């Protein structure tokens, strides 16, 4: 499949600090690529390098097969970016703001009007067209920020944590909008440190930590690549150390923890994990309830690869 | 593209009420305050014939009498014969400005302004210092034009001009300060376009629009706004507060154009030349503008004279002083070399700021954002 964006061997240093350490990245046409990483992992830096905003020390960046430079106006035309920080004019209304940024790309007034209204529809700001940014709530402001970045219907859309500090309803609204843009043909880079979002909307996922790509693949591939395969959780009033030890002795168990009346057992790939657990519990006449079985999450992937939690 | 950028920037920034308020109302309020402070000095705006009383004794000196009569003919003074008692009465009724008791003893009325006092004293000095000369001339030709010989005319003209302009200078400085306050607009434009200064700047930078052209169009847009605000303040000072700004429209317009451009380029230079936050940059702008205004004589015109005497080069690179001096030289009808020299220095300063700005934004990519 055709790569719209190709990053090879990218290194970016801020003085001593290596913010991007030899990163390769492929963004396939028509896909949503998720860039997952904790705070400070280098997501924003990587994006700014791709956009030719930031100078970098080593490596190459190609967009649509061409070297990206600050003068690549014909490439810039195709890109829409939603930056992490809200960047709108306080002096302009919602409509005027979107129109302003759209006018940097679209000259034709009629066409622009259609596009601006389309963007307003997409992010659901129809009732707020005449509002100035100051009068918008945090979530609505984020939606405006998004509309300003995508109104010109770009082929490539880059969104840097567009859902930070947004309530769940706005968040869903935003995620749906992004999916819709993708369905209409846009290729998307989506960064976040919310793994659920990434898991939900992205076709491909790249996990960044300390400026390095530590894993990439589809959600399935990533989850299959780790040792953890399933997690079983159940509640019980009492669980002796001896029983816990016996549970741990199962060759498939990676870890078993009991705390505050709740036990979590983490298993490798294997058959009959649940059955074996229940057998052990029954043998010791332990009453249990609320048994819950779950598949690994991206957080488990991150945990296993780095030894730390994604959400701190 | 150029036109639409110009239009957009104009539209966005003209709505920035806070900046508009500061660049207009601050100056208007200061001007009103100045006017109230100086309104007591209004009388000196015009030089009038001074009513002066002289004692019978002093008029017995024929040459002195002749001298006084001669300058009375020239309409510098109006002579009234009097004595001590009568003079007191005349002072009370404010009918006279001074009473010449004898050659070395001149009484000046309590309500007589300093300027008038100076004029009376200098007329007397003119006589005493040149007594023998004056006597000889008057003996030979009582109808001589003393003016020519003693240069009263230029002296009094200068004296009265200076008095007009000491007051007006404060307003000229205010106009200068206002023009330099346009730095606020220059600052804002750079924040609109520089990716390391704002997210709007990032958006503009990643757009397919040529950044240099956009900045140029936007600078011209804010320059337009600055010119409008400047002309507004100038109109207010001239028409509402009736401060004399002369009638050399072309010269005044040139000052406003160059002055506001200096302000705008100053602002863009502050914006890109350092890594401080915007509050700090604004602080630098206000601070330097105030300092320039101070040394241009806004608090006391004496400061300007001191600077001109001891470190003249300082005010050559002080745009507020250059604007003040430019307006002054227009008002005293001396729009020659002095005026153009001021304008040339303004151009030099703006060119320095423009090149300084270009030096800092010349990189195409940023080291850090
Ligand atoms: N202008 C800068 N100067 C110096 N260091 C910087 C600068 N910008 C970022 N960094 C550092 O580079 C690293 C990567 O930062 P970056 O902003 O790219 O992370 P991020 O993944 O976007 O984080 P977040 O989720 O918080 O947005 C961090 O360690 C950060 O401290
Ligand atoms: Mg970031």
């Amino acid at each position: 499949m055709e790569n719209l964006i190709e990053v090879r061997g990218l290194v970016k240093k801020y003085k001593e600090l290596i913010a991007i350490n030899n990163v390769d990245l492929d963004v396939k046409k028509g896909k949503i690529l998720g860039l997952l990483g904790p705070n400070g992992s280098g997501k924003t830096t990587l994006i700014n390098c791709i956009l030719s905003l930031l100078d970098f020390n080593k490596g190459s960046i190609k967009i649509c097969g061409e070297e990206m430079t600050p003068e690549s106006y014909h490439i810039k035309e195709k890109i829409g970016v939603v930056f992490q920080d809200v960047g709108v004019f306080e002096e302009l209304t919602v409509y005027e703001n979107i129109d302003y940024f759209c006018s940097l790309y679209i000259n034709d007034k009629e066409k622009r009007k259609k596009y601006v209204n389309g963007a307003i529809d997409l992010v659901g700001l129809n009732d707020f067209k005449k509002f100035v940014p100051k009068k918008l709530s945090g979530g609505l402001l984020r939606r405006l920020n998004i509309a300003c970045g995508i109104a010109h219907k770009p082929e490539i859309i880059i969104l840097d944590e567009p859902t930070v500090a947004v309530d769940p309803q706005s968040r869903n609204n935003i995620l749906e909008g992004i999916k819709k843009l993708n369905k209409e043909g846009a290729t998307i880079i989506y960064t976040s440190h919310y793994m659920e979002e990434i898991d939900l909307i992205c076709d491909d996922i790249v996990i960044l930590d300390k400026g390095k790509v530590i894993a990439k693949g589809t959600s399935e591939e990533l989850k299959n690549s780790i040792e953890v395969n399933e997690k079983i959780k159940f509640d019980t009033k009492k669980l002796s150390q001896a029983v816990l030890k016996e549970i741990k002795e199962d060759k498939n168990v990676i870890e078993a923890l009991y705390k505050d009346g709740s036990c979590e057992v983490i298993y490798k790939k294997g058959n009959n994990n649940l059955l074996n657990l229940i057998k052990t519990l029954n043998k010791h006449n332990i009453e249990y309830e609320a048994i819950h079985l779950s598949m690994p999450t991206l957080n488990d992937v991150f945990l296993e690869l780095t030894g730390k939690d994604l959400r701190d | 593209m150029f036109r639409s950028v110009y239009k957009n920037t104009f539209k966005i920034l003209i709505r920035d009420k806070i900046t508009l308020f500061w660049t207009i109302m601050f100056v208007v309020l200061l001007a009103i305050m100045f006017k109230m402070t100086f309104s007591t000095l209004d009388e000196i705006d015009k030089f009038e014939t001074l009513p002066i009383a002289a004692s019978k004794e002093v008029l017995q000196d024929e040459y002195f009498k002749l001298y006084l009569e001669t300058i009375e003919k020239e309409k510098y003074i109006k002579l009234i014969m009097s004595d001590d008692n009568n003079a007191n009465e005349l002072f009370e009724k404010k009918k006279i400005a001074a009473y010449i008791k004898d050659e070395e003893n001149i009484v000046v009325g309590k309500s007589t302004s300093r300027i008038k006092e100076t004029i009376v004293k200098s007329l007397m000095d003119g006589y005493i210092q040149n007594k023998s000369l004056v006597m000889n001339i008057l003996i030979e030709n009582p109808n001589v034009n003393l003016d020519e010989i003693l240069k009263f005319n230029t002296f009094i003209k200068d004296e009265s001009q200076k008095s007009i302009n000491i007051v007006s200078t404060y307003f000229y400085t205010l106009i200068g300060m206002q023009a330099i306050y346009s730095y606020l607009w220059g600052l804002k434009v750079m924040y609109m376009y520089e990716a390391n200064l704002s997210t709007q700047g990032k958006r503009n930078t990643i757009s397919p629009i040529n950044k240099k052209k956009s900045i140029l169009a936007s600078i011209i847009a804010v320059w337009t706004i600055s010119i409008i605000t400047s002309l507004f303040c100038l109109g207010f000072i001239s028409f509402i507060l009736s401060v004399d700004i002369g009638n050399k429209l072309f010269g005044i317009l040139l000052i406003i154009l160059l002055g506001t451009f200096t302000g705008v380029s100053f602002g863009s230079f502050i914006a890109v030349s350092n890594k401080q936050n915007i509050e700090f940059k604004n602080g630098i702008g206000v601070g330097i503008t105030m300092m320039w205004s101070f040394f241009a004589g806004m608090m006391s015109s004496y400061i300007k004279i001191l600077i001109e005497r001891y470190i003249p080069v300082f005010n050559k690179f002080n745009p507020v002083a250059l604007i003040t001096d430019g307006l002054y030289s227009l008002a005293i009808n001396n729009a020659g070399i002095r005026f153009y020299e001021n304008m040339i220095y303004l151009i030099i300063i703006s060119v320095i700021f423009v090149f300084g700005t270009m030096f800092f934004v010349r990189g195409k990519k940023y080291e850090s954002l």
Side-chain angles (χ1 to χ4, degrees):
Chain A
M1 198 176 288
E2 189 189 345
N3 280 338
L4 274 192
I5 300 179
E6 254 179 37
V7 177
R8 290 290 174 268
L10 190 72
V11 178
K12 164 68 190 171
K13 292 181 194 161
Y14 293 112
K15 297 208 176 83
E16 307 293 277
L17 184 101
I18 305 177
I20 297 290
N21 194 348
N22 201 15
V23 163
D24 293 344
L25 189 78
D26 294 309
V27 185
K28 298 190 195 95
K29 188 170 180 168
K31 300 278 182 191
I32 303 182
L33 177 95
L35 213 51
L36 182 64
N39 290 133
S41 54
K43 304 181 294 289
T44 303
T45 304
L46 177 57
I47 288 174
N48 286 334
C49 287
I50 291 175
L51 293 169
S52 238
L53 280 174
L54 270 179
D55 210 357
F56 45 85
N57 303 76
K58 267 192 207 144
S60 72
I61 290 163
K62 282 185 178 166
I63 300 181
C64 303
E66 264 183 66
E67 192 82 26
M68 178 67 178
T69 70
E71 277 87 32
S72 308
Y73 296 124
H74 57 291
I75 297 177
K76 286 182 165 185
E77 267 171 18
K78 300 179 187 171
I79 305 178
V81 183
V82 176
F83 289 100
Q84 187 167 5
D85 302 314
V86 174
V88 295
F89 290 107
E90 293 297 331
E91 295 85 1
L92 300 181
T93 64
V94 164
Y95 185 94
E96 288 167 335
N97 259 300
I98 304 172
D99 188 56
Y100 173 86
F101 290 109
C102 194
S103 76
L104 302 175
Y105 299 82
I106 310 283
N107 269 329
D108 183 338
K109 261 193 186 158
E110 280 308 305
K111 191 171 169 192
R112 197 162 74 226
K113 201 169 159 189
K114 234 172 61 195
Y115 280 17
V116 172
N117 281 316
I120 289 175
D121 274 341
L122 184 84
V123 297
L125 281 177
N126 268 310
D127 297 337
F128 304 94
K129 278 186 189 177
K130 292 231 164 73
F131 281 50
V132 288
K134 246 196 207 118
K135 296 266 161 73
L136 296 177
S137 70
L140 295 177
L141 194 60
R142 285 265 154 200
R143 294 197 212 175
L144 170 61
N145 195 42
I146 294 171
C148 290
I150 54 97
H152 56 286
K153 291 197 189 292
E155 284 171 42
I156 302 170
I157 298 175
I158 301 178
L159 301 114
D160 195 358
E161 309 208 26
T163 57
V164 166
V166 164
D167 64 89
Q169 199 200 330
S170 277
R171 174 173 302 186
N172 285 337
N173 178 301
I174 289 169
L175 292 177
E176 270 164 34
I178 292 167
K179 275 186 137 172
K180 197 168 160 220
L181 288 168
N182 176 244
K183 277 213 188 84
E184 288 167 7
T187 304
I188 292 172
I189 298 182
Y190 185 87
T191 88
S192 180
H193 57 260
Y194 296 120
M195 50 178 185
E196 300 87 352
E197 289 184 357
I198 297 266
D199 215 351
L200 195 68
I201 67 166
C202 297
D203 303 304
D204 293 308
I205 296 165
V206 170
I207 302 180
L208 269 185
D209 186 43
K210 294 183 184 152
K212 280 190 174 156
V213 175
I214 55 170
K216 56 172 101 179
T218 63
S219 171
E220 283 299 311
E221 285 166 358
L222 287 172
K223 288 171 189 167
N224 282 332
S225 73
I226 58 170
E227 220 185 1
V228 175
N229 188 247
E230 62 185 331
K231 297 194 277 187
I232 300 171
K233 219 174 175 175
F234 60 90
D235 293 348
T236 177
K237 295 214 177 66
K238 208 167 153 256
L239 192 72
S240 67
Q241 284 298 323
V243 178
L244 195 63
K245 204 170 161 235
E246 199 178 323
I247 294 173
K248 280 184 188 172
E249 273 162 8
D250 185 324
K251 66 175 182 0
N252 276 342
V253 171
I254 297 170
E255 182 66 286
L257 289 166
Y258 178 67
K259 211 179 136 198
D260 302 333
S262 169
C263 181
E264 186 178 48
V265 191
I266 301 171
Y267 286 95
K268 291 181 202 165
K269 206 167 284 174
N271 295 324
N272 305 327
N273 284 340
L274 179 61
L275 199 67
N276 291 340
L277 177 65
I278 290 173
K279 270 185 193 160
T280 311
L281 292 177
N282 284 344
K283 196 168 87 190
H284 296 278
N285 283 326
I286 288 168
E287 284 179 22
Y288 54 85
E289 53 191 23
I291 209 161
H292 182 78
L293 193 142
S294 65
M295 306 313 279
T297 63
L298 290 172
N299 190 47
D300 297 313
V301 176
F302 192 79
L303 188 67
E304 196 170 310
L305 290 171
T306 65
K308 61 187 181 195
D309 235 332
L310 190 51
R311 11 164 205 214
D312 28 43
Chain B
M1 188 216 79
F2 198 87
R3 260 187 46 206
S4 85
V5 172
Y6 178 94
K7 240 175 61 191
N8 275 328
T9 304
F10 192 91
K11 179 168 119 186
I12 293 171
L13 293 183
I14 200 79
R15 292 193 199 176
D16 180 353
K17 300 209 181 62
I18 295 172
T19 309
L20 269 185
F21 178 84
W22 277 107
T23 49
I24 294 180
M25 286 319 286
F26 183 56
V27 174
V28 164
L29 291 177
L30 263 182
I32 293 173
M33 248 175 56
F34 278 1
K35 183 69 183 180
M36 276 160 32
T37 317
F38 295 129
S39 60
T40 48
L41 298 177
D42 259 2
E43 55 184 301
I44 60 180
D45 271 2
K46 289 181 261 12
F47 180 76
E48 290 160 5
T49 308
L50 288 178
I52 289 176
S55 66
K56 283 182 189 108
E57 293 81 41
V58 84
L59 290 176
Q60 270 159 16
D61 179 341
E62 276 208 24
Y63 294 115
F64 188 55
K65 190 175 171 205
L66 195 55
Y67 172 73
L68 289 178
E69 279 167 354
T70 313
I71 56 175
E72 188 180 20
K73 250 191 272 170
E74 313 244 333
K75 297 232 163 59
Y76 292 133
I77 62 168
K78 182 171 171 10
L79 199 57
I80 298 163
M81 218 176 321
S82 177
D83 56 39
D84 292 8
N85 289 334
N86 192 15
N88 279 338
E89 212 173 288
L90 289 170
F91 270 133
E92 256 159 46
K93 288 182 191 158
K94 296 190 179 166
K95 286 256 165 74
I96 54 170
Y99 170 55
I100 305 172
K101 206 170 152 145
D102 56 58
E103 269 176 37
E104 262 134 67
N105 196 351
I106 297 155
V107 187
V108 179
K110 283 196 194 78
S111 60
T112 305
S113 73
R114 289 263 306 280
I115 313 291
K116 284 178 184 166
E117 187 185 328
T118 321
I119 293 170
V120 174
K121 288 216 168 115
S122 63
L123 287 174
M124 287 308 296
D125 286 349
Y127 177 72
I128 294 164
Q129 274 167 25
N130 302 294
K131 202 168 175 179
S132 54
L133 179 70
V134 171
M135 283 195 305
N136 287 337
I137 295 167
L138 289 176
I139 291 166
E140 280 172 23
N141 181 4
N143 289 324
V144 74
N145 188 352
L146 272 176
D147 238 23
E148 298 264 302
I149 297 146
L150 297 178
K151 302 272 184 262
F152 287 140
N153 207 349
T154 48
F155 172 77
I156 289 169
K157 230 192 206 152
D158 262 12
E159 219 34 42
S160 58
Q161 281 285 3
K162 217 186 270 167
S163 65
I164 294 174
N165 291 302
I166 278 170
V167 175
S168 298
T169 323
Y170 287 96
F171 292 96
Y172 301 158
T173 309
L174 212 50
I175 292 165
M177 182 183 87
Q178 206 260 354
I180 301 307
Y181 258 133
S182 313
Y183 84 83
L184 280 164
W185 302 113
L187 195 81
K188 284 189 149 265
V189 165
M190 296 323 281
Y191 267 80
M192 267 177 88
Y193 288 99
E194 281 299 303
N196 58 352
L197 295 182
S198 74
T199 307
Q200 291 95 311
K202 287 194 186 81
R203 287 209 149 126
N204 271 312
T205 308
I206 60 151
S207 82
I209 282 187
N210 184 311
K211 194 164 127 187
K212 279 188 212 124
K213 280 188 201 156
S214 318
I215 292 183
L216 186 66
S218 292
I219 288 282
I220 295 176
V222 292
W223 189 17
T224 315
I225 297 179
S226 311
I227 293 167
I228 295 171
T229 55
S230 230
L231 288 177
F232 177 85
C233 288
L234 193 74
F236 181 83
I237 286 171
S238 150
F239 295 117
I240 312 279
L241 302 184
S242 343
V243 173
D244 182 16
I245 57 163
N247 55 5
K248 298 227 164 36
L249 285 182
F250 171 77
I252 290 170
L253 205 63
L254 189 66
I255 291 179
I256 297 293
L257 288 180
L258 291 177
T260 48
F261 187 76
T262 308
V264 170
S265 62
F266 174 48
S268 62
F269 179 76
I270 301 176
V272 299
S273 59
N274 63 84
K275 291 200 158 58
Q276 306 293 336
N277 60 24
I278 190 158
E279 286 79 19
F280 187 89
K281 288 173 185 171
N282 258 322
I284 297 179
V286 174
I288 294 183
T289 309
M290 285 301 183
M291 184 195 78
W292 278 337
S293 308
F294 176 77
F295 287 117
M298 197 163 83
M299 300 304 143
S300 153
S301 51
Y302 190 56
I303 299 281
K304 185 172 176 251
I305 294 163
L306 271 185
I307 300 245
E308 261 155 29
R309 189 165 305 158
Y310 295 110
I311 24 174
V313 70
F314 185 86
N315 270 353
K316 292 269 179 271
F317 289 94
N318 173 352
V320 181
L322 294 172
I323 295 168
T324 307
D325 207 59
L327 286 168
Y328 176 80
S329 55
L330 286 180
I332 62 167
N333 285 322
N334 181 9
I337 293 170
R338 181 170 171 184
F339 172 77
Y340 286 105
E341 199 183 282
N342 285 318
M343 296 306 100
I344 285 166
Y345 273 101
L346 274 181
I347 293 173
I348 292 173
I349 294 171
S350 0
V351 167
I352 291 174
F353 284 136
V354 168
F355 276 103
T357 306
M358 280 159 66
F359 173 80
F360 283 105
V361 303
R362 77 200 185 288
K364 286 174 189 135
K365 286 187 190 174
Y366 299 85
E367 277 306 311
S368 104
L369 291 176

